[in-house]
Amino acid sequence: MCRYNNWDKWYVKILDDFNFSMKEDIKSANLLNELIMKKGKFNIDDMDVKKQAIIFGAGPSIKKHITYLKENFKLDDYTLIAADGTTEALMEEDIIPDIIVTDLDGKITPIKNANHKGSILYVHAHGDNIDKIQKHVKNLENIIPTTQAKPTGLLENYGGFTDGDRAVHIAIYALGINDITMAGMDFGTIVTRYSRPNILTPQAETDEFKEKKLDYASKLIKSLSDNNKDVKIVNLVDIL
């Protein structure tokens, strides 16, 4: 089992708290592994990873933060990591993320377009996305498969629950990045269409399930910060 950021303990708690099934997680992970065995796994060593990263979440501040970053940061100096549906927000601003961390429940067209333009995908398997893995993985490339259960075969597990906090886990433990700026990571009670593509308005009140997930994401990132004192993590929500 993975021990990054005490993930073993977090995972058991999450399974219990959300009534998730480890058996279904493993079933999904085995399917993803089989598909990547046929396609081939991307070797992250083939990517030029810059040791500063910007991780983009799908919170209500995302557009404001993208504007701020474009005006004040030289984005070429950073590894740009999008959490799932946030890819659409970046593509709307003509930004192609270097990496997308996704469980494939965001809008697939922007993810597919970014992937075909060079974005590397960390595709995650969990019990509720077996159908999406079966449908979409065959049309994607440059994939590193991840699981939240025991990593076997080609699967990786660097810890992390939501796409957003998993992106931070991957940045630290897979990519060795020690300077992280988080954008659009509000962890509040408002969700956007980038996070929930089925909502009819740009933003909406979150439901209890999503709010609980975001609370876990916030706690996991705090744990990452506490356990990695050599890593600088700045959330733009706290300074803008």
Side-chain angles (χ1 to χ4, degrees):
M1 184 65 77
C2 166
R3 300 195 183 281
Y4 294 114
N5 194 35
N6 297 313
W7 177 247
D8 294 5
K9 295 177 181 178
W10 284 103
Y11 182 45
V12 171
K13 182 173 173 55
I14 287 166
L15 287 172
D16 181 63
D17 213 4
F18 286 85
N19 198 29
F20 289 158
S21 166
M22 184 186 294
K23 182 179 178 181
E24 289 300 301
D25 282 350
I26 293 171
K27 179 180 177 181
S28 180
N30 286 341
L31 170 63
L32 179 58
N33 183 60
E34 289 173 10
L35 294 173
I36 300 305
M37 289 284 285
K38 296 175 184 177
K39 292 175 68 72
K41 176 181 175 180
F42 181 77
N43 184 354
I44 196 64
D45 291 336
D46 292 338
M47 178 183 168
D48 178 21
V49 176
K50 301 173 181 71
K51 294 308 178 184
Q52 300 178 100
I54 302 172
I55 298 177
F56 298 87
S61 64
I62 185 58
K63 283 294 191 171
K64 178 179 75 172
H65 287 174
I66 291 174
T67 298
Y68 172 81
L69 290 165
K70 288 173 71 174
E71 292 175 351
N72 295 278
F73 282 54
K74 186 179 178 183
L75 297 184
D76 287 344
D77 291 342
Y78 292 79
T79 296
L80 305 180
I81 305 175
D84 199 46
T86 316
T87 305
E88 182 179 14
L90 293 173
M91 296 288 279
E92 288 171 351
E93 302 291 336
D94 297 318
I95 299 171
I96 300 172
D98 300 299
I99 291 171
I100 302 169
V101 177
T102 178
D103 61 2
L104 304 175
D105 70 355
K107 281 188 181 178
I108 195 63
T109 298
I111 292 173
K112 188 184 298 183
N113 289 343
N115 179 230
H116 291 167
K117 291 180 179 180
S119 298
I120 309 307
L121 301 182
Y122 278 85
V123 173
H124 190 66
H126 57 72
D128 291 340
N129 72 340
I130 293 174
D131 57 335
K132 294 180 175 65
I133 289 172
Q134 187 74 65
K135 181 178 180 180
H136 297 306
V137 165
K138 62 180 179 288
N139 299 316
L140 300 168
E141 55 196 13
N142 296 331
I143 296 172
I144 299 170
T146 65
T147 177
Q148 53 201 32
K150 182 179 180 179
T152 58
L154 298 178
L155 298 163
E156 305 282 359
N157 185 345
Y158 295 103
F161 179 37
T162 69
D163 292 317
D165 76 89
R166 191 163 57 255
V168 184
H169 282 79
I170 288 169
I172 294 172
Y173 296 122
L175 308 179
I177 292 171
N178 57 18
D179 188 333
I180 296 170
T181 299
M182 300 193 303
M185 302 277 255
D186 298 77
F187 305 118
T189 59
I190 301 296
V191 294
T192 69
R193 62 184 174 89
Y194 303 116
S195 173
R196 289 289 174 89
N198 58 323
I199 64 175
L200 302 178
T201 55
Q203 298 183 8
E205 288 283 339
T206 189
D207 55 51
E208 184 178 348
F209 178 77
K210 181 67 173 182
E211 189 171 345
K212 191 174 177 181
K213 286 183 68 177
L214 290 172
D215 183 57
Y216 263 99
S218 178
K219 289 176 179 176
L220 278 159
I221 291 173
K222 183 180 185 305
S223 177
L224 279 169
S225 181
D226 290 344
N227 291 327
N228 295 274
K229 297 298 186 182
D230 57 331
V231 178
K232 176 185 176 184
I233 302 177
V234 175
N235 192 341
L236 291 182
V237 168
D238 296 330
I239 60 178
L240 293 182

